[in-house]
Amino acid sequence: MAVQEARQYGEHATACAGCAHCGQAGHRRAVAAFLARRDELAAGHGVPAAVAHSPVAARQWVSDELAQSARAVSAHGREAGVAWLDRVRRGSLGAVWGAVLALLLGQALTAVASGWTGARTAGLCTALVLAALLSVAAHAHRSRGGLLAPLIGEDNRLSTTRAVAAAWLLLLGYTLLFLAFLAPGANAFGLARGAGLLTVLALVSAVSVTARLVVTAGIASRRLQKVRADRPRAADLLCDDSGRACLADVQYLLVSGSVLVLTAVGLARHPDGLSPVPWSLVLLLGVSAAWHLAAKSTEGVRPTIHSVVRSREAGDLDAPIRTGDDIEIRGCGFVPPGAGAPDPLTRLVVRIGPVHAHVPLVPVPGGFANPTDAALTVPLPADVEPGLVEVSVVTAAGVETNRVTIDVVD
């Protein structure tokens, strides 16, 4: 029943493609249907009588049923992600032009007592130019969230280093445009006052580029596994791919944001030149950036098989591995960060000789008992010939583990 409802919602969402409300509602209903179905099957209900007599057949039927429902949830998630990006694009443009309007109202109110000044005109002109440029950029990237597009990485998550670099670039652009409108041709761009600001911009830009190189190198070496997310989330700036808070990201965002605010306040108090950034703050940001890059360089673990053993049921006799037996593969890195959702779990494959066996999903209340990051159980296919056979695991990120040889007896 739950799978039927998920299909009906999928047909409705297809008919309403691009509708943000239908996309979100359909995704929520599909998730609720999947969770209800998972808990129902975990309790042993809903299994057809034709397969209930065979534990192996029942487990395979349950796994296929959950995999089909998980694919429906994933499809709804992608549709909801597209609608979310469109909503973010419109919201970000509204925020930009709302900020321009707020600046105009604030200047008009404060000018009643002190009068209109050249600095107010320069600030308003700068805001209008930046808003126009940002609107053009948002339109050019309207399919990827508008202004959010440059901050989204290849894994469809928000990048902390890109967000920090974009914030500093925006501040520097506003400062230079403001000074150009305030005093055209004047020597307001003194290198002595702007050296700290330019150093900070160079630093955060270098961190952004270096972080991308580190991630690329980790993926190439198969040490770092990246699973694409359904959509970007604000929590990506502070969390790792699995959704847990990352201290390195938090401190980098906090330190760089604090220095950015202090620099912006300095510009507002002395709007006659580039805001001087104290070298102590530059050093603090450098230490924070080094911490962030060091954490990026050490994250990730290459999926590895440590051992393969015959899975033994209670009361079963000890015996060698035979065709049809369950084998338990022990190791690490089988479920990379971000791959704990049902749909990525269904893409986990074990290569046993020439046969590729999909790992069955074994539901328990609140989650899955199989597979896990450190162990997974899979039945030995009948097509596997007796003798020495190599076993390896291919994760949802497409990374294959080392190969371990087992002896299958007749």
Side-chain angles (χ1 to χ4, degrees):
M1 179 64 182
V3 176
Q4 269 185 337
E5 292 178 356
R7 289 176 185 162
Q8 291 173 357
Y9 295 138
E11 293 172 359
H12 176 69
T14 302
C16 299
C19 174
H21 175 73
C22 290
Q24 285 185 334
H27 183 240
R28 286 195 298 266
R29 287 191 292 260
V31 170
F34 175 82
L35 295 179
R37 186 60 168 161
R38 182 198 64 190
D39 293 341
E40 177 189 9
L41 294 174
H45 305 303
V47 179
V51 297
H53 66 281
S54 171
V56 175
R59 181 179 60 185
Q60 187 60 50
W61 184 90
V62 167
S63 179
D64 292 342
E65 185 77 0
L66 291 175
Q68 187 176 9
S69 183
R71 284 191 288 270
V73 172
S74 181
H76 280 285
R78 289 190 293 270
E79 293 168 359
V82 172
W84 181 84
L85 286 175
D86 184 65
R87 191 168 61 252
V88 166
R89 178 185 62 83
R90 296 195 302 267
S92 60
L93 285 178
V96 168
W97 287 104
V100 174
L101 180 60
L103 177 63
L104 176 60
L105 294 177
Q107 288 184 344
L109 291 176
T110 55
V112 173
S114 58
W116 194 267
T117 62
R120 298 181 195 278
T121 302
L124 184 58
C125 291
T126 301
L128 287 172
V129 171
L130 273 183
L133 292 176
L134 292 176
S135 299
V136 172
H139 180 74
H141 298 89
R142 56 189 178 278
S143 62
R144 294 202 63 200
L147 297 180
L148 203 65
L151 310 183
I152 301 176
E154 287 72 15
D155 57 353
N156 206 31
R157 293 180 176 87
L158 290 179
S159 169
T160 304
T161 55
R162 293 188 187 186
V164 170
W168 278 101
L169 182 61
L170 188 62
L171 175 64
L172 180 61
Y174 183 91
T175 303
L176 295 178
L177 280 175
F178 175 80
L179 295 178
F181 282 117
L182 180 64
N187 187 18
F189 309 97
L191 183 61
R193 298 189 63 183
L197 179 59
L198 297 177
T199 302
V200 168
L201 180 64
L203 176 64
V204 296
S205 301
V207 169
S208 178
V209 174
T210 305
R212 181 173 181 179
L213 292 176
V214 167
V215 171
T216 302
I219 294 174
S221 65
R222 300 183 181 182
R223 174 182 54 81
L224 186 62
Q225 302 184 71
K226 282 288 185 178
V227 178
R228 185 177 176 82
D230 288 336
R231 67 171 177 86
R233 292 174 172 81
D236 296 338
L237 298 176
L238 302 173
C239 302
D240 57 16
D241 291 354
S242 60
R244 294 183 299 237
C246 178
L247 182 58
D249 290 345
V250 171
Q251 63 83 26
Y252 182 59
L253 199 64
L254 181 62
V255 172
S256 57
S258 300
V259 177
L260 180 71
V261 170
L262 291 176
T263 305
V265 170
L267 173 64
R269 294 180 60 183
H270 305 286
D272 56 350
L274 285 176
S275 302
V277 180
W279 289 107
S280 58
L281 294 182
V282 176
L283 179 60
L284 175 62
L285 186 58
V287 173
S288 176
W291 180 359
H292 180 78
L293 287 179
K296 281 286 183 185
S297 302
T298 56
E299 70 178 1
V301 57
R302 183 167 184 173
T304 305
I305 295 178
H306 295 160
S307 60
V308 180
V309 298
R310 176 178 177 270
S311 182
R312 178 179 175 274
E313 298 289 340
D316 193 8
L317 297 177
D318 293 329
I321 299 176
R322 290 186 172 88
T323 302
D325 287 344
D326 287 349
I327 57 173
E328 180 180 342
I329 303 174
R330 302 171 183 174
C332 62
F334 299 146
V335 182
D343 186 48
L345 288 179
T346 62
R347 299 199 297 267
L348 193 61
V349 176
V350 177
R351 180 185 293 180
I352 308 174
V355 182
H356 292 76
H358 284 77
V359 180
L361 297 179
V362 179
V364 294
F368 296 96
N370 185 64
T372 65
D373 186 64
L376 55 89
T377 301
V378 64
L380 199 63
D383 293 334
V384 175
E385 298 291 339
L388 298 179
V389 179
E390 289 186 335
V391 177
S392 63
V393 176
V394 181
T395 70
V399 179
E400 186 173 5
T401 65
N402 60 308
R403 299 185 179 185
V404 174
T405 302
I406 61 174
D407 189 8
V408 180
V409 301
D410 194 357

